Amino acid sequence: MNTTLVKAISASPAPGPPFGPGAAKQTHTVAKLIDTTTCIGCKACEVACQEWNDQPFLIGAFEGTYQTLTDLTPSFWNLIKFNEAEQEGHLLWLMAKYQCMHCVDPGCLKACPAPGAIVQYTNGIVDFNAENCIGCGYCMTGCPFDVPKLHPRTKKVQKCTLCSDRVSVGLEPACIKACPTNCLSFGTREDLLAKAEARVEALKDEGRSESGIYNPPGVGGTHVVYVLAHADHPENYGLPRDPAIPWTVALWKGPLKWLGNLVLLGGILGTFFHYVRYGPRRYKDETG
Amino acid sequence: MRLDEPKVDRFNVVERVTHWLVALSFLYTTLTGLALWSPRLYWLAAVFGGGPTVRGWHPWGGVAFAAFFAFMFRAWNRQMRLEQDDRRWLRLAHRYAVHNEEGLPEAGRFNAGQKSLFWIQAAGAVVLISTGVVLWWPETMPRALRLTAILLHPVAAVVAIGGLIVHIYMGTAAVPEAFRGMIQGWVRPGWAASHHPKWYREVTRR
Ligand code: HEM
Ligand code: SF4
Ligand code: SF4
C-alpha cells in the first residue's frame, strides 16, 4: 500500500489541503517525460511494465506493424505505438509510448460513481483501486485518452499506476529504469518541464522547428509530458490534438446533477406540501 | 367490510399483476440507479448488495421493466390516446390540482393526467433502454454513442422518476381508494362516478 497523500477521490468531496503525518513534506508533483525524438522503439519499457506489475505476456495478432498489440488491455498498460504519417512528401515513422497521462484534471475520476475507486495523490498520480471499482466503465467514457480498460472477467478497470507503489517508496517507475536511451525520465514536474523546454530549444537549434512539448491544457496539463519533433501534429503520434474532459461528461456531473436533484427533491417536497395545503381529493357519493 | 358492498370492477387481474411487475422492476432499477447517480445516495448500493452487484443487476432490472412495460403498453395504449377533451383537461390541470374542477372535462377510464404519465413513461422507457444498452457494455460501444448515452440516460431517468413521484403520491395519498383499485381490482361506485364519470356511465349502462 502506498503512503502518498490524497488530492482527489472519486465520488467524494475534495479532501482539502493535505493534513496528517507527511503533510508538510510533500511540496512538489512528479512527472514522466517522454522524449519521442530519442525513442528507438525497443519496447524495454513494455517488458519492464509487465514484469514489475506481474502481468502475463500476451500474444496478439500481427497487424503489419512493429506494435506489440493494437491497443492497451486490462493487463497491458504501456504500449509503444508505431505510427506512419506522411508530411510534405516525407514518410515519418513515429514511435510514441502510450499509457495513462495522469491528467491534472482527470476525466476518469470525474466520471467515476464509486467512492474511492479512483484517487489522485497530491504528487499527481491518478490511481485505480480495484476493491472499490464496480466495473461500470464510466471512466472509459470520461477519459479523453481512451486509457482505462475493463477486464471482462473481473469487471475491474486497470491502467498504468505510474508505479505509485514504487514512487511512494522513493523509486522511479519501472519503465524509466528500463529505458536504454534515456528518452524516459522521471522527476518533479517543474524540473521535467524545464528539461523538456531545453530539449525543444536544442531541437529547434538543429532545425527541427516544429518541435514542442505535449502537455495538453484542456485537461489542466498532464503528469506524463512528451517532447515531440512534430508537435504541430500530435495526432500523427496517436495523441489527441486538444484533449479535454468531454462536455457531456462535464454537463452530466455538473449542472445536470444539480438540476436532477432539484427536480427529484422538488417532487418529493412538492407532493408532500400539496397534501399539507390541499389534502386528498374528496367526493360526494351521488350514486346512492 | 360489508360483503354486499357495491363494487365497480376497475382493473382485472392481468392489469393488476402487470402494473405491479412494472412497478417493482421500475422501483428496483430506480433505487439501484440512484446509487450510481449521486455519491450521497451510494449507501443504496450497500442496501442492494454492494457496488459491483448493483452495477451487474441494474441493467437486468431495466430489461425486466422494459419487458413488463411493453406488455402494459400493448394492453393500454389505445385507451391512453389523448383526445380533444384531454387536451382541454391538461390546459386546466392546475384547477384539478387545487380541487376546483370547474370547467374540467369529465374523465373516461383514465384522465388526461394519467394518460400523460403513461406516455411519459413510454418515452422514458424507450430512451432508458436504448441508452442503457450502450452503457451496459462500454468496451464494445463507440465512444460517441457512450458520450451521448451518459447524458440522455440520467435525463430520461429524472423525468421518469419525477413522473413516478407524482404518480405514487396520486395513487396513495392524494386519491384515496385508488390504491384498492390497483390491489383488489374494484372501487366504490361513488368513487368511480366522481373520478371517472364518463367511464362510470359506460360500465353501468351495460
Ligand atoms: C410503488 C409505486 C406505485 C404505486 C403505489 C402505484 C399506484 C397506482 C394506482 C393506485 C393506480 C390506479 C389509478 C387509478 O385507479 O386510476 C396506478 C395506475 C397506473 N400505474 Fe402505477 N403505481 C406505482 C408504480 C408505477 C410505475 C413504476 C409505473 C410505470 C413506470 C406505473 C404506471 C401506471 C400506469 C401507466 C397506470 C394507469 C394510469 C394511471 O393511473 O396513472 N405505476 N398506479
Ligand atoms: S489519461 Fe485517462 S485514465 Fe489517465 S488520468 Fe487522464 S483521464 Fe484518467
Ligand atoms: S469502472 Fe471502476 S474505476 Fe471506472 S468509473 Fe466505474 S467504478 Fe470507477
Side-chain angles (χ1 to χ4, degrees):
Chain A
M1 195 51 212
N2 79 63
T3 53
T4 325
L5 296 164
V6 164
K7 180 178 161 199
I9 308 172
S10 58
S12 309
F19 61 95
K25 227 169 37 200
Q26 212 160 47
T27 52
H28 47 246
T29 60
V30 297
K32 165 157 69 186
L33 176 63
I34 302 171
D35 181 358
T36 57
T37 62
T38 54
C39 174
I40 56 170
C42 71
K43 307 177 182 173
C45 53
E46 289 184 1
V47 177
C49 183
Q50 295 306 87
E51 293 247 315
W52 175 259
N53 294 300
D54 263 338
Q55 315 245 49
F57 285 85
L58 306 161
I59 297 177
F62 182 62
E63 302 277 345
T65 85
Y66 276 72
Q67 207 163 300
T68 307
L69 297 175
T70 48
D71 198 2
L72 301 174
T73 80
S75 54
F76 185 72
W77 305 337
N78 175 357
L79 172 69
I80 301 294
K81 281 192 182 172
F82 290 73
N83 284 295
E84 287 163 26
E86 211 179 295
Q87 210 168 295
E88 289 149 21
H90 294 287
L91 176 72
L92 302 175
W93 195 30
L94 303 169
M95 292 139 211
K97 186 173 172 322
Y98 171 52
Q99 78 281 281
C100 171
M101 301 291 288
H102 297 276
C103 309
V104 173
D105 191 6
C108 57
L109 191 145
K110 182 160 209 129
C112 179
I118 304 179
V119 289
Q120 183 181 39
Y121 300 113
T122 48
N123 66 11
I125 295 180
V126 178
D127 219 352
F128 285 16
N129 277 330
E131 68 264 40
N132 294 329
C133 171
I134 64 171
C136 62
Y138 286 180
C139 50
M140 304 165 68
T141 306
C143 170
F145 299 94
D146 200 20
V147 164
K149 298 285 181 251
L150 192 62
H151 192 288
R153 224 162 3 85
T154 65
K155 293 286 177 197
K156 304 287 180 188
V157 158
Q158 318 254 229
K159 68 158 190 69
C160 156
T161 66
L162 204 65
C163 285
S164 55
D165 49 350
R166 293 173 58 90
V167 172
S168 70
V169 294
L171 299 170
E172 56 184 13
C175 54
I176 313 280
K177 270 233 129 16
C179 181
T181 68
N182 268 342
C183 92
L184 301 181
S185 40
F186 182 77
T188 71
R189 192 153 177 269
E190 300 93 281
D191 285 357
L192 287 187
L193 284 173
K195 184 174 172 183
E197 260 162 50
R199 177 64 185 149
V200 167
E201 282 312 306
L203 285 166
K204 285 189 170 158
D205 288 347
E206 286 174 22
R208 307 180 80 173
S209 55
E210 275 76 51
S211 307
I213 300 175
Y214 186 79
N215 176 31
V219 291
T222 49
H223 290 270
V224 173
V225 174
Y226 289 79
V227 169
L228 304 178
H230 306 277
D232 49 337
H233 290 293
E235 61 280 0
N236 284 350
Y237 295 84
L239 296 167
R241 176 172 281 276
D242 288 311
I245 296 183
W247 67 267
T248 57
V249 170
L251 187 62
W252 157 52
K253 287 290 177 174
L256 179 60
K257 199 121 298 188
W258 286 106
L259 198 68
N261 287 335
L262 216 66
V263 169
L264 299 183
L265 215 62
I268 291 167
L269 291 178
T271 50
F272 179 74
F273 285 113
H274 178 271
Y275 193 78
V276 170
R277 169 66 182 83
Y278 296 106
R281 185 183 183 281
R282 297 178 192 286
Y283 65 90
K284 210 156 71 212
D285 192 341
E286 278 155 356
T287 57
Chain B
M1 192 187 298
R2 283 164 47 195
L3 259 181
D4 61 345
E5 177 158 27
K7 297 172 181 170
V8 179
D9 287 335
R10 176 123 179 92
F11 297 110
N12 68 34
V13 65
V14 175
E15 288 174 316
R16 280 177 276 149
V17 169
T18 306
H19 175 268
W20 290 114
L21 287 175
V22 167
L24 285 177
S25 56
F26 187 94
L27 237 52
Y28 172 80
T29 315
T30 296
L31 293 175
T32 50
L34 283 175
L36 308 184
W37 159 256
S38 168
R40 288 187 177 76
L41 296 174
Y42 196 70
W43 55 271
L44 282 168
V47 175
F48 287 96
T53 306
V54 159
R55 168 57 176 89
W57 285 99
H58 171 82
W60 289 109
V63 166
F65 164 71
F68 295 140
F69 190 82
F71 192 79
M72 180 189 258
F73 186 86
R74 219 188 48 137
W76 280 355
N77 76 83
R78 292 171 154 276
Q79 308 176 35
M80 292 294 179
R81 245 168 238 165
L82 288 160
E83 278 145 30
Q84 205 68 39
D85 268 2
D86 293 321
R87 277 172 235 288
R88 237 167 10 104
W89 193 100
L90 286 177
R91 271 196 295 277
L92 300 173
H94 54 277
R95 292 202 189 156
Y96 179 84
V98 300
H99 306 323
N100 161 29
E101 299 185 8
E102 239 182 83
L104 217 63
E106 291 189 329
R109 189 181 188 206
F110 299 108
N111 69 35
Q114 294 174 300
K115 289 181 179 178
S116 305
L117 173 91
F118 177 84
W119 292 110
I120 288 171
Q121 296 297 2
V126 169
V127 177
L128 284 168
I129 196 74
S130 49
T131 55
V133 165
V134 171
L135 299 176
W136 201 346
W137 298 289
E139 63 276 35
T140 61
M141 292 292 166
R143 189 171 169 73
L145 269 186
R146 273 185 282 142
L147 286 170
T148 316
I150 215 147
L151 200 59
L152 291 186
H153 194 77
V155 167
V158 166
V159 171
I161 299 168
L164 180 68
I165 290 170
V166 176
H167 176 67
I168 295 179
Y169 169 60
M170 301 290 293
T172 53
V175 181
E177 296 179 46
F179 197 70
R180 187 172 45 207
M182 199 40 102
I183 292 282
Q184 300 181 34
W186 60 271
V187 290
R188 292 204 168 97
W191 186 93
S194 163
H195 284 273
H196 301 278
K198 255 180 5 200
W199 171 71
Y200 176 71
R201 286 198 300 273
E202 274 165 38
V203 292
T204 46
R205 200 177 302 133
R206 278 182 252 133

